[in-house]
């Protein structure tokens, strides 16, 4: 087993240096921000959930991917197993097994092995298959619980983290089948996993509460979705190491967009469509309650979801229909949906720390009078079907309908395909205001879109600029193919768009924001310490209104957080399938 693991580790890296004696290593090394061309690290378990009865005999697999990406400094490797409930951590070393004291994966006791990261390689750290010869360590618990592996590349002396990835898994008592309507308050416990069998509606003013660490799988045999009807609530309040994961019921490597329908939350907040009917037949929504409370989504991940019925009827990763500002959205990732990441159909719901990765259409979409507040967003288009960064509408036919769509965004980063995969990029827009929508966008980075940096499609949208209803200030535009262009010669707004983008009073710039690393698998959009985004000449100060937080940077990632970028924390994923 030792020789096999040694081969796997060495096959992923090259230029092995001489080991050296090291002093006391930290258990959790702080993040190294000054690391241009940061290498890619991914670690994945073959599935998130094992039942208690099958765990001992299941063909458990832990895979890893490492790619150097021109990172030239020496690194050290660490593999850590963690009990996510108790917090106990064990470092794994191929010579001695597990150790409570920090030790790297391949050095001999008392020594630290340094390496140079090489070309991209994928390999199995552990596998219980008969042919592997390298099964999961028997010391690991097989009881019901929440567990994780952490794989780190640290610097030469093991004191700072260069790159990391997490593989979360659970052992549960059983997988509970769920179907039909939920008509009473109910709790889903992390001791079990839950399988949505078809359309599940939370109805009759009921509350669905989901414990931190719970996994919910959407069935793929027929369209499965979770629909929170107006008047009902979902309380999915996870934690950074115990996210609530909504995913496909297929195993790693077989998951894809549209495996299941996603999550829909309906409410009675104001919308400008009097006969609003939910996407996919998910019910009526809208009303006169701007403070509607649809529940909590915090440290929640929604994967491989969405469904396209027609050009005008589509389920997104997360669909918010008439949700009010009593609803909490905080640290939510939408990964690889077939349509938009999040679409806001009216309402006043606010959100912070939203991560969109691999959306099939637009990353952020709104219509029907959406008026919420958004801060710290990161939208990464990883696949060729991706379209716009922001698609903004007020109303499909009545461009002046009230309430008018006019959300406020502070600090977001939108990365299009053109910056890393120009041969796959569409002529898509970084931001498009149309059909009467306004919007206030500050401190935001738009990079790598194949079409416009910004566009205004309608006179109804253009007219809002004079009264402060359409603002783009203190933003950075980088490697977008076109500065500005309208989609219709009948609505010539190029002059206005150019003025908004280039007027010195708006403090917009066309320059490199200073991302740490751009690659198709796992971009690091954290600004480098001396970059434009980390040290902007000017910044738009968010209002002190109880929601927005003060910032000193541009884009959606704080380049000084000692815990590392929030987009790489344990609750996130970058798995392609």
């Amino acid at each position: 087993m030792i020789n096999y693991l040694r081969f796997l580790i060495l096959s992923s890296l090259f230029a092995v240096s001489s080991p050296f004696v090291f002093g006391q290593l930290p258990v959790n090394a702080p993040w190294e921000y000054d690391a241009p061309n940061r290498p890619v690290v991914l670690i994945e378990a073959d599935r998130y959930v094992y039942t208690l009865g099958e765990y001992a005999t299941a063909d458990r697999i832990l895979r890893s991917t490492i790619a150097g990406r021109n990172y030239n400094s020496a690194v050290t490797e660490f593999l850590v197993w963690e009990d996510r409930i108790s917090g106990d951590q064990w470092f794994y070393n191929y010579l001695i097994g597990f150790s409570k004291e920090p030790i790297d994966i391949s050095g001999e006791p008392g020594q630290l092995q340094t390496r140079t990261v090489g070309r991209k390689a994928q390999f199995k750290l552990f596998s219980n298959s008969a042919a592997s010869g390298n099964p999961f360590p028997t010391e690991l618990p097989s009881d019901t619980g929440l567990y994780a592996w952490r794989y780190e590349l640290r610097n030469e002396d093991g004191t700072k983290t260069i790159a990391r990835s997490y593989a979360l898994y659970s052992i549960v008592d059983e997988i509970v089948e769920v179907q039909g309507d939920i008509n009473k308050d109910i709790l889903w416990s992390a001791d079990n996993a839950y399988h949505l069998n078809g359309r599940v509606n939370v109805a009759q003013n009921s509350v669905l509460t989901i414990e931190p660490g719970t996994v919910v799988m959407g069935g793929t045999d027929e369209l499965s979705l979770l629909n929170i009807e107006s008047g009902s609530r979902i309380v999915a309040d996870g934690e950074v190491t115990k996210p609530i994961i909504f995913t496909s019921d297929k195993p790693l490597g077989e998951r894809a967009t549209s495996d299941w329908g996603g999550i829909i939350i309906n409410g009675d907040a104001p919308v400008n469509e009097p006969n609003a009917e939910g996407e996919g037949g998910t019910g009526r929504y809208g009303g006169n309650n701007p403070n509607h409370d649809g529940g909590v989504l915090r440290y929640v991940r929604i994967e491989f979801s969405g469904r396209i019925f027609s050009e005008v009827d589509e389920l997104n990763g997360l669909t918010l229909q008439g949700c009010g500002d009593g609803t909490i959205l905080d640290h939510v990732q939408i990964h690889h949906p077939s349509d938009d990441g999040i679409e806001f159909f009216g309402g006043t719901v606010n959100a912070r720390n939203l991560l969109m990765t691999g959306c099939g259409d637009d990353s952020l979409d709104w219509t029907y009078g959406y008026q919420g507040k958004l801060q710290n967003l990161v939208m990464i288009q990883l696949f060729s079907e991706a379209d716009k960064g922001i698609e903004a509408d007020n109303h499909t036919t009545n461009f002046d309908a009230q309430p008018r769509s006019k959300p406020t965004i502070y600090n977001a980063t939108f990365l299009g395909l053109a910056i890393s995969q120009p041969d796959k990029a569409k002529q898509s827009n970084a931001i498009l205001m149309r059909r009467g929508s306004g919007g206030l966008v500050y401190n935001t980075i738009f990079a790598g879109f194949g079409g416009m940096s910004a566009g205004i499609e309608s006179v109804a949208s253009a007219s809002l600029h004079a009264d402060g209803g359409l603002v783009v200030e203190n933003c950075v535009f980088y490697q977008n193919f076109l500065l500005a262009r309208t989609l219709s010669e009948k609505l010539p707004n190029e002059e206005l768009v150019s003025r908004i983008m280039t007027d010195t009073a708006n403090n917009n710039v066309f320059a490199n924001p200073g991302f740490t690393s751009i690659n198709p698998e796992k971009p690091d959009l954290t600004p480098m310490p001396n970059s434009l985004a980390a040290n902007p000449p000017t910044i738009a100060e968010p209002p002190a209104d109880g929601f927005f937080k003060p910032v000193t940077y541009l884009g959606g990632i704080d380049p000084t957080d000692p815990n590392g970028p929030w987009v790489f924390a344990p609750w996130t994923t970058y798995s392609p399938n």
Side-chain angles (χ1 to χ4, degrees), residues 367-417:
T367 188
Y368 284 174
Y370 174 56
Q371 295 191 330
K373 304 172 185 179
L374 306 171
Q375 186 176 28
N376 280 358
L377 318 180
V378 175
M379 314 291 181
I380 303 174
Q381 296 188 350
L382 295 173
F383 305 101
S384 58
E385 61 266 32
D387 197 18
K388 292 175 281 294
I390 296 176
E391 183 176 274
D393 292 326
N394 183 47
H395 191 281
T396 306
T397 57
N398 180 6
F399 294 177
D400 293 317
Q402 299 294 324
R404 175 88 69 166
S405 289
K406 193 181 69 174
T408 303
I409 299 174
Y410 277 87
N411 290 82
T413 299
F414 292 83
L415 181 70
L417 282 165

Side-chain angles (χ1 to χ4, degrees), residues 182-235:
I182 296 173
N183 294 321
K184 62 180 180 180
D185 294 354
I186 192 170
L187 171 69
W188 289 357
S189 165
D191 290 342
N192 298 316
Y194 296 83
H195 184 254
L196 306 180
N197 188 357
R199 183 181 297 239
V200 175
N201 301 301
V202 181
Q204 296 187 10
N205 299 322
S206 302
V207 179
L208 168 62
T209 303
I210 306 176
E211 285 188 344
T214 303
V215 176
V216 181
M217 295 174 285
T220 54
D221 291 339
E222 61 176 303
L223 177 62
S224 297
L225 58 85
L226 182 61
N227 181 40
I228 313 302
E229 294 186 358
S230 186
S232 295
R233 300 173 67 241
I234 178 173
V235 180

Side-chain angles (χ1 to χ4, degrees), residues 478-498:
Y478 179 58
Q479 289 193 3
N480 303 304
F481 288 174
L482 300 171
L483 165 63
R485 191 185 72 188
T486 59
L487 299 182
S488 171
E489 294 180 358
K490 296 180 180 179
L491 303 174
N493 298 303
E494 286 97 336
E495 182 179 349
L496 173 60
V497 173
S498 296

Side-chain angles (χ1 to χ4, degrees), residues 73-125:
S73 300
V75 299
T76 51
E77 298 174 273
F78 291 79
L79 183 63
V80 184
W81 178 90
E82 179 180 356
D83 184 320
R84 291 188 280 146
I85 297 176
S86 69
D88 286 346
Q89 293 185 7
W90 295 84
F91 288 79
Y92 186 82
N93 175 274
Y94 75 79
L95 292 173
I96 67 171
F98 287 102
S99 170
K100 289 294 289 184
E101 297 300 320
I103 187 170
D104 71 326
I105 196 171
S106 55
E108 297 181 4
Q111 296 177 324
L112 190 64
Q113 189 76 43
T114 62
R115 310 182 189 282
T116 302
V117 183
R119 59 181 174 79
K120 180 179 177 180
Q122 298 174 315
F123 55 95
K124 296 178 182 178
L125 285 168

Side-chain angles (χ1 to χ4, degrees), residues 381 387 414-422 425-426 428-430 445-453 476-481 513 515 518:
Q381 296 188 350
D387 197 18
F414 292 83
L415 181 70
L417 282 165
I419 202 167
S420 59
Q421 303 177 81
K426 293 180 181 179
S428 57
N429 317 301
I445 301 170
F446 297 94
F449 286 86
M452 296 175 282
S453 285
V476 178
F477 298 88
Y478 179 58
Q479 289 193 3
N480 303 304
F481 288 174
F515 295 139
I518 298 172

Side-chain angles (χ1 to χ4, degrees), residues 20-352:
F20 61 91
V21 177
F22 64 93
Q24 184 66 38
L25 288 171
V27 173
N28 296 301
W31 192 258
E32 174 57 79
Y33 279 102
D34 192 7
N37 298 315
R38 189 182 303 279
V40 171
V41 174
L42 292 174
I43 187 170
E44 300 173 291
D46 61 309
R47 47 183 153 157
Y48 298 142
V49 173
Y50 305 92
T51 61
L52 191 61
E54 71 179 353
Y55 179 76
T57 58
D59 184 15
R60 289 168 280 137
I61 299 173
L62 185 65
R63 297 177 176 88
S64 183
T65 301
I66 301 178
R69 295 292 170 187
N70 300 316
Y71 186 77
N72 297 319
S73 300
V75 299
T76 51
E77 298 174 273
F78 291 79
L79 183 63
V80 184
W81 178 90
E82 179 180 356
D83 184 320
R84 291 188 280 146
I85 297 176
S86 69
D88 286 346
Q89 293 185 7
W90 295 84
F91 288 79
Y92 186 82
N93 175 274
Y94 75 79
L95 292 173
I96 67 171
F98 287 102
S99 170
K100 289 294 289 184
E101 297 300 320
I103 187 170
D104 71 326
I105 196 171
S106 55
E108 297 181 4
Q111 296 177 324
L112 190 64
Q113 189 76 43
T114 62
R115 310 182 189 282
T116 302
V117 183
R119 59 181 174 79
K120 180 179 177 180
Q122 298 174 315
F123 55 95
K124 296 178 182 178
L125 285 168
F126 301 108
S127 175
N128 277 1
S129 65
S132 75
N134 188 52
F136 266 70
T138 57
E139 301 96 323
L140 295 178
S142 56
D143 302 322
T144 300
L146 306 178
Y147 307 107
W149 290 95
R150 183 176 83 242
Y151 193 78
E152 288 186 343
L153 297 184
R154 297 188 184 181
N155 63 349
E156 189 174 21
D157 63 7
T159 59
K160 290 188 176 181
T161 300
I162 302 300
R164 71 162 70 101
S165 181
Y166 298 84
L168 310 182
Y169 72 96
S170 306
I171 303 176
V172 301
D173 293 332
E174 63 176 319
I175 298 175
V176 178
E177 292 290 328
V178 183
Q179 58 185 355
D181 291 349
I182 296 173
N183 294 321
K184 62 180 180 180
D185 294 354
I186 192 170
L187 171 69
W188 289 357
S189 165
D191 290 342
N192 298 316
Y194 296 83
H195 184 254
L196 306 180
N197 188 357
R199 183 181 297 239
V200 175
N201 301 301
V202 181
Q204 296 187 10
N205 299 322
S206 302
V207 179
L208 168 62
T209 303
I210 306 176
E211 285 188 344
T214 303
V215 176
V216 181
M217 295 174 285
T220 54
D221 291 339
E222 61 176 303
L223 177 62
S224 297
L225 58 85
L226 182 61
N227 181 40
I228 313 302
E229 294 186 358
S230 186
S232 295
R233 300 173 67 241
I234 178 173
V235 180
D237 200 353
E239 300 173 15
V240 65
T241 61
K242 292 183 279 188
I244 296 167
I245 300 174
F246 296 87
T247 189
S248 165
D249 64 0
K250 294 181 180 178
L252 178 71
E254 299 178 20
R255 302 173 299 184
T257 62
S258 297
D259 273 354
W260 67 292
I263 299 177
I264 303 91
I265 305 178
N266 299 282
D268 60 354
V271 302
N272 62 24
E273 168 54 53
N275 298 303
E277 178 71 30
E279 300 284 276
T282 50
R284 299 294 297 269
Y285 64 90
N288 299 310
N289 178 18
N291 306 125
H292 158 263
D293 178 1
V296 179
L297 296 182
R298 184 162 29 215
Y299 290 110
V300 165
R301 199 162 85 207
I302 304 170
E303 306 175 349
F304 306 105
S305 59
R307 185 61 58 93
I308 298 174
F309 303 107
S310 70
E311 291 185 2
V312 295
D313 191 4
E314 302 163 324
L315 293 176
N316 310 280
L318 175 61
T319 305
L320 301 168
Q321 301 178 153
C323 291
D325 62 15
T327 309
I328 296 175
L329 301 178
D330 189 355
H331 289 86
V332 176
Q333 180 181 12
I334 311 298
H335 183 61
H336 212 342
S338 61
D339 192 44
D340 304 323
I342 295 181
E343 184 161 5
F344 297 89
F345 288 85
T348 56
V349 58
N350 307 319
R352 61 166 55 92

